[in-house]
Amino acid sequence: MELRQMRYFVGVAEELHFGRAAERLYISTPTLSQQIKQLEREVGTTLLIRHSRGVELTPAGQVFLARARETIQAAGLALKDTRRAAGLDEPVLRLGLLNGVPGWLPAALEQLATERLPDSTVTLSAGTTTEQLRMLTAGEIDLALVRTPITLPPATMSEDLAEEELGVLLTATHPLAASTEITFDDLTGLELIWIPRAAAPEFYDDAIARLRSRVRISDISMSQAQLRSALLVRREAISLASRRAATPDVVWRPLKGRPLIAQYAAVWRTDSRNPVLQAMTVSPGLTVVRQQVVDD
């Protein structure tokens, strides 16, 4: 029996719903359900009664909830008191927050950090892929989030964590907005407003190489957060983004064949002695976050 399983159980017991608990714990509902079933097998009895409205605790589940809370708290105190006795500082992970990254990804990494070291804290430093790598090399952050492909700096490692489909972002009044799917040929001659190349050079080049023969690269570029505003000024232009960027006045349409992907990866220094990072990257390490995404 693992502390992680106890935390999962407490999450379900407090939410009384697998879906809400899964969102809170940043894992998929099937993975959470599987972990609870495994826990019940180890305990030897049913802890939760599942029904259409959610779940309820059995008498055994109520006892286990109380003891699980005590155990989780005791584990956290044991670690904290031991570190204090050894004269160690509170463990902190300085996480690089990539501009435009889906919000659940840094949240899942923070969750993993607190699972591996319950008394740890996570601080955030925002920036582009290029800025993330600079901060990592300078020792200003412990774990960087980047878009790939990239050329890794010396003495670093990376782990692919997630990917998002890139489609076409355009105003709701654009002629192509009526399409349910857009082809590369549909984009011929259109102005493309996108992120500055300096923000993520290899990622930028990889995507633009497939479009350069069709679109006109705009003389302006914008951050992820500013693309909507730029399109509302140049209404005949288009951009590239994930479906998360859609709003009522700026719509998102998929590209036929789903040819463009934004791949997100974590990068860290191999010589780092940060205890939180070491706890997160020890086997199975960050693949836990990737597996949760695949399950979803």
Side-chain angles (χ1 to χ4, degrees):
M1 185 182 306
E2 301 177 7
L3 281 174
R4 175 170 56 91
Q5 291 176 312
M6 289 189 176
R7 292 192 182 94
Y8 288 169
F9 176 80
V10 170
V12 177
E14 291 180 348
E15 296 292 341
L16 294 178
H17 192 278
F18 272 92
R20 291 195 298 269
E23 291 181 6
R24 165 177 158 182
L25 295 164
Y26 304 109
I27 63 173
S28 69
T29 302
T31 298
L32 179 58
S33 179
Q34 183 181 30
Q35 289 293 319
I36 296 301
K37 288 179 181 178
Q38 181 179 338
L39 177 64
E40 289 177 324
R41 286 195 296 270
E42 293 180 4
V43 173
T45 189
T46 300
L47 301 175
L48 298 169
I49 299 174
R50 298 155 175 82
H51 48 69
S52 59
R53 300 180 305 280
V55 298
E56 61 181 281
L57 296 172
T58 64
Q62 293 174 349
V63 172
F64 189 82
L65 174 61
R67 297 296 179 261
R69 284 169 169 163
E70 293 173 358
T71 301
I72 293 169
Q73 183 180 25
L77 288 173
L79 184 58
K80 187 173 184 177
D81 289 347
T82 301
R83 292 186 63 84
R84 184 183 297 114
L88 299 175
D89 295 331
E90 295 296 316
V92 175
L93 178 78
R94 299 168 300 170
L95 175 63
L97 181 62
L98 178 65
N99 292 346
V101 73
W104 56 261
L105 184 50
L109 291 170
E110 182 177 13
Q111 175 74 19
L112 179 62
T114 55
E115 282 187 4
R116 298 289 173 83
L117 280 183
D119 63 334
S120 63
T121 58
V122 175
T123 62
L124 301 173
S125 296
T128 64
T129 290
T130 298
E131 291 165 342
Q132 295 285 307
L133 294 180
R134 181 199 62 76
M135 289 189 288
L136 184 67
T137 301
E140 297 171 7
I141 58 175
D142 304 301
L143 186 65
L145 285 177
V146 300
R147 289 181 180 86
T148 64
I150 58 169
T151 299
L152 290 176
T156 60
M157 293 183 63
S158 69
E159 181 78 50
D160 289 338
L161 296 181
E163 62 182 35
E164 284 188 303
E165 174 188 356
L166 289 181
V168 180
L169 197 66
L170 65 172
T171 62
T173 58
H174 194 285
L176 290 179
S179 304
T180 57
E181 189 176 63
I182 293 176
T183 68
F184 276 170
D185 288 341
D186 293 331
L187 304 180
T188 301
L190 295 182
E191 178 185 10
L192 173 67
I193 300 174
W194 205 30
I195 61 174
R197 181 181 182 276
E202 291 170 85
F203 168 70
Y204 178 97
D205 290 346
D206 187 62
I208 293 298
R210 310 190 191 193
L211 296 170
R212 191 179 297 277
S213 63
R214 293 176 172 83
V215 302
R216 293 183 293 108
I217 308 300
S218 179
D219 59 344
I220 61 174
S221 57
M222 295 286 172
S223 68
Q224 294 277 346
Q226 296 171 318
L227 288 177
R228 172 183 173 274
S229 298
L231 291 175
L232 291 175
V233 173
R234 296 198 179 181
R235 289 182 169 271
E236 296 304 311
I238 62 166
S239 188
L240 301 176
S242 71
R243 65 177 69 242
R244 293 182 293 110
T247 65
D249 51 5
V250 175
V251 300
W252 183 90
R253 296 292 181 263
L255 280 164
K256 186 176 182 179
R258 279 54 174 175
L260 300 181
I261 295 294
Q263 178 79 46
Y264 301 101
V267 183
W268 65 96
R269 293 178 59 92
T270 55
D271 59 357
S272 174
R273 295 187 178 182
N274 183 285
V276 189
L277 178 65
Q278 291 177 342
M280 293 174 69
T281 54
V282 69
S283 181
L286 297 174
T287 57
V288 173
V289 173
R290 185 175 63 195
Q291 184 60 51
Q292 290 169 2
V293 175
V294 170
D295 288 342
D296 286 336

CSV table of all heavy atoms in Angstrom, one decimal, residues 25 74 107 148 178:
chain,number,residue,atom,x,y,z
A,25,LEU,N,-7.1,15.6,-8.6
A,25,LEU,CA,-5.8,14.9,-8.4
A,25,LEU,C,-5.0,14.9,-9.7
A,25,LEU,O,-3.8,14.4,-9.7
A,25,LEU,CB,-6.1,13.4,-8.1
A,25,LEU,CG,-6.7,13.2,-6.7
A,25,LEU,CD1,-7.3,11.8,-6.6
A,25,LEU,CD2,-5.7,13.5,-5.6
A,74,ALA,N,1.0,12.3,9.2
A,74,ALA,CA,2.2,11.8,9.9
A,74,ALA,C,3.4,11.7,9.0
A,74,ALA,O,4.5,12.0,9.4
A,74,ALA,CB,1.9,10.4,10.5
A,107,ALA,N,0.2,22.1,-13.3
A,107,ALA,CA,-0.5,21.7,-12.1
A,107,ALA,C,-0.2,20.2,-11.8
A,107,ALA,O,-0.1,19.8,-10.6
A,107,ALA,CB,-2.0,21.9,-12.3
A,148,THR,N,9.0,21.4,-28.2
A,148,THR,CA,10.0,20.7,-29.0
A,148,THR,C,9.6,20.7,-30.5
A,148,THR,O,8.4,20.9,-30.7
A,148,THR,CB,10.2,19.3,-28.5
A,148,THR,OG1,9.0,18.5,-28.7
A,148,THR,CG2,10.6,19.2,-27.1
A,178,ALA,N,-16.6,29.1,-41.8
A,178,ALA,CA,-17.7,28.2,-42.0
A,178,ALA,C,-17.3,26.7,-42.2
A,178,ALA,O,-18.1,25.8,-42.2
A,178,ALA,CB,-18.6,28.7,-43.2
